[in-house]
């Protein structure tokens, strides 16, 4: 084995919020190996990544779901906690992603899954947008239209941060 990834939770704990990843276990594994180790679990923003690497001594970190929801997670241009530049940042990121999907053909089921991850917080505030999207045939243009519609709704409701809970009362 030339590289090992260690997740700080058991399989049963993986998809639950009640169990935090155990970085002590990751650190113990790292201390007993002479190969690069990647830590996995509870990496939600750049600050978490830096703390995990410092604590465990690992060469790097992995992050799955948080990266799908916030692809700028590890950007050094962002704050260490991944705050967005604007409330509709994920809509703009989606537009960039769709450009890439046009250049590099991507299965529609994967595109749809990424749309739901990127825009999921806003779909919980504007469920009618999600419902209409899900009732349509999956196309890149559909997702571009959804992103534009959400930008309009976010502006209309005066959302100033990527905190959809702030709009729930007004939506």
């Amino acid at each position: 084995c030339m590289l090992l990834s260690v997740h700080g939770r058991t399989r049963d704990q993986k998809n639950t919020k009640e169990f935090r990843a155990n970085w002590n276990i990751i650190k113990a594994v790292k201390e007993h190996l002479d190969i690069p180790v990647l830590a996995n679990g509870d990496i939600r923003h750049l600050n978490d990544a830096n703390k995990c690497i410092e604590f465990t001594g690992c060469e790097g970190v992995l992050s799955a779901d948080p990266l799908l929801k916030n692809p700028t997670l590890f950007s050094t241009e962002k704050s260490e906690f991944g705050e967005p530049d604007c409330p509709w940042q994920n809509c703009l990121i989606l537009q960039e992603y769709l450009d890439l999907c046009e250049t590099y053909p991507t299965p529609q089921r994967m595109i749809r899954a990424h749309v739901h991850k990127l825009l999921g917080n806003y779909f919980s505030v504007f469920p009618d947008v999600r419902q209409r999207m899900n009732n349509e045939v999956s196309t890149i243009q559909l997702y571009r239209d959804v992103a534009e519609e959400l930008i309009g709704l976010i502006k209309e409701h005066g959302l100033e941060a990527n905190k959809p809970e702030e709009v729930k009362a007004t939506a």
Side-chain angles (χ1 to χ4, degrees):
C1 179
M2 309 240 340
L3 172 78
L4 181 67
S5 169
V6 180
H7 202 295
R9 287 187 277 249
T10 66
R11 182 180 304 261
D12 292 337
Q13 297 169 336
K14 184 177 177 213
N15 292 320
T16 65
K17 300 222 184 268
E18 60 192 80
F19 294 103
R20 301 286 303 185
N22 188 333
W23 290 355
N24 288 312
I25 290 174
I26 298 171
K27 180 179 182 177
V29 170
K30 171 61 185 160
E31 289 172 350
H32 286 88
L33 296 176
D34 294 324
I35 61 171
V37 175
L38 300 177
N40 195 351
D42 286 327
I43 308 298
R44 299 164 310 223
H45 42 68
L46 185 58
N47 189 48
D48 283 344
N50 291 332
K51 283 182 178 179
C52 182
I53 289 170
E54 182 180 334
F55 181 80
T56 63
C58 287
E59 284 72 16
V61 297
L62 298 172
S63 182
D65 213 44
L67 272 171
L68 291 172
K69 293 176 182 173
N70 178 8
T72 62
L73 186 75
F74 298 132
S75 172
T76 56
E77 296 174 11
K78 308 285 179 216
S79 77
E80 61 183 329
F81 296 104
E83 285 98 4
D85 293 335
C86 69
W88 49 86
Q89 173 182 307
N90 279 9
C91 294
L92 301 176
I93 291 169
L94 174 60
Q95 296 285 19
E96 288 182 48
Y97 171 70
L98 295 172
D99 290 343
L100 291 169
C101 291
E102 287 180 325
T103 303
Y104 306 101
T106 308
Q108 288 294 325
R109 64 180 168 72
M110 294 176 92
I111 296 172
R112 180 180 290 269
H114 285 124
V115 168
H116 278 277
K117 288 290 186 183
L118 276 169
L119 304 182
N121 285 341
Y122 292 109
F123 288 155
S124 67
V125 177
F126 306 111
D128 56 316
V129 176
R130 179 187 59 225
Q131 188 60 46
R132 280 196 317 275
M133 181 188 80
N134 286 340
N135 289 335
E136 297 288 327
V137 173
S138 183
T139 66
I140 289 177
Q141 186 58 51
L142 168 67
Y143 302 130
R144 287 189 190 286
D145 294 344
V146 165
E148 288 302 319
E149 180 179 2
L150 284 173
I151 289 171
L153 287 168
I154 292 164
K155 288 178 179 179
E156 178 185 326
H157 290 277
L159 185 62
E160 294 185 18
N162 197 3
K163 298 178 182 171
E165 62 275 6
E166 291 179 4
V167 227
K168 284 186 179 178
T170 61

